[in-house]
Amino acid sequence: MAGYILYNGFWNPDGPPDPVRRLEAAARERGRTLTPLPNTRAVVEFSGGIAVSGFDAEDFALFWDKDVRLGRALESIGVRLYNPAETVALCDDKAATHRKLAAQGIPMPRTLVAPMTYTRMDEGPSRPFLERAAERLGFPMVVKECYGSLGGEVYLARDAAELRALADRMDSRPFLCQEFIRETAGTDLRIYVVDGRPVAAMRRRSDGDFRANIGHGGHGEAYTPTEEEAALAVRCCRILGACFAGVDLLWEADGAPLVCEVNSNAHMAGLTACTGVDVAGEIVRYVFSQERQR
């Protein structure tokens, strides 16, 4: 039996990214081995069955990638993944995340999903959709690509012209339009949940951007979630089947929490720096405890 940390070799051609190195080190500190492995070296083959180079049914892996096709192939031959491929797929697609959570009554900003379109279409998403979004959500309006990380594919449309320009720029990429929560613009809360427990939380703030992401100039400070906030984060992870995840919350004017998104592979450097909590260690502890039970 071997343990791996799967990461994306295309995005990280120079070697494992920071979270993977932290997980590897956390395992080493506990006298265990987790081997970083880029998805570019895990070749899936369909030929009278399913095979993935280098893996067998006794193995397990921290699935720190979004290569869901690889994840599902690994699960089909018996490899145990943390998080499961279905969880990663749900979290990677923001529309899928919202659909799954909305079906269970999770409070979120009002969200409209753009209709599917194709490249080189003059109209792009239909004009009636954009008119409906403007009518339902007003301006400013948050526009998010369904696939994106670190806040890089999240935009603010201040009027109908900016909304149309963003929609045209999307081309065939799926996106959604979302209510702008004025009360907490530039601020959010990240709660990291591991094994059904909130292990660390930080409040993130940005002085110059409506996004609070640290990568866009935000800064974090340690935060103690309320019982309501913690319970909401834990419930989201349970609904999505996440063994661990970073749950991002906003607040309504009355202080009630709203779920912004759930990250199955949330970065941990900023959270660990401002809270002192070894998030990688918590994840590794959970994974090895699960493996011992097997």
Side-chain angles (χ1 to χ4, degrees), residues 183-184 223 226 228-229 250-258:
E183 291 78 11
T184 53
Y223 180 89
T226 66
E228 183 181 13
E229 291 162 351
L250 306 173
W251 296 271
E252 294 189 273
D254 62 1
L258 297 170

Side-chain angles (χ1 to χ4, degrees), residues 50-292:
I50 300 173
V52 184
S53 57
F55 284 88
D56 63 47
E58 296 302 313
D59 297 335
F60 67 96
L62 274 77
F63 190 32
W64 215 265
D65 192 14
K66 298 180 180 181
D67 190 342
V68 174
R69 288 183 291 272
L70 170 60
R72 286 178 171 149
L74 286 167
E75 288 176 332
S76 71
I77 65 172
V79 175
R80 298 174 298 283
L81 296 184
Y82 306 91
N83 282 302
E86 178 61 15
T87 296
V88 173
L90 286 170
C91 292
D92 188 33
D93 180 349
K94 292 179 176 63
T97 306
H98 283 275
R99 172 184 55 78
K100 189 77 171 180
L101 296 180
Q104 298 298 319
I106 294 295
M108 296 177 289
R110 184 180 294 122
T111 302
L112 280 71
V113 180
M116 181 179 177
T117 187
Y118 293 90
T119 191
R120 301 190 185 92
M121 299 292 285
D122 292 338
E123 276 295 304
S126 64
R127 188 174 301 278
F129 167 76
L130 298 180
E131 292 173 351
R132 177 66 168 170
E135 174 188 320
R136 293 285 290 164
L137 306 178
F139 295 101
M141 177 194 305
V142 176
V143 179
K144 297 181 178 180
E145 296 189 34
C146 288
Y147 299 96
S149 299
L150 306 175
E153 292 76 25
V154 179
Y155 317 98
L156 194 66
R158 295 172 178 80
D159 54 36
E162 288 190 358
L163 176 59
R164 163 56 68 182
L166 282 168
D168 289 344
R169 197 164 98 191
M170 298 297 177
D171 197 24
S172 62
R173 299 193 300 276
F175 71 95
L176 50 82
C177 296
Q178 194 168 75
E179 173 187 11
F180 179 62
I181 308 301
R182 298 175 185 273
E183 291 78 11
T184 53
T187 305
D188 71 5
L189 167 61
R190 167 158 291 179
I191 302 177
Y192 218 117
V193 177
V194 181
D195 189 22
R197 298 181 301 113
V199 299
M202 67 176 172
R203 186 172 185 138
R204 301 186 297 188
R205 302 176 185 270
S206 174
D207 298 325
D209 199 307
F210 76 99
R211 299 164 294 185
N213 303 73
I214 291 176
H216 288 279
H219 59 275
E221 58 187 15
Y223 180 89
T224 301
T226 66
E227 289 186 9
E228 183 181 13
E229 291 162 351
L232 182 58
V234 168
R235 189 178 173 209
C236 287
C237 289
R238 186 176 300 118
I239 291 169
L240 297 169
C243 310
F244 50 84
V247 182
D248 295 345
L249 304 182
L250 306 173
W251 296 271
E252 294 189 273
D254 62 1
L258 297 170
V259 175
C260 179
E261 58 185 62
V262 181
N263 302 275
S264 60
N265 298 344
H267 285 210
M268 58 193 74
L271 185 60
T272 294
C274 73
T275 65
V277 176
D278 180 11
V279 178
E282 293 286 343
I283 294 172
V284 166
R285 177 202 59 77
Y286 164 74
V287 169
F288 283 123
S289 72
Q290 291 297 107
E291 289 301 307
R292 280 195 298 272

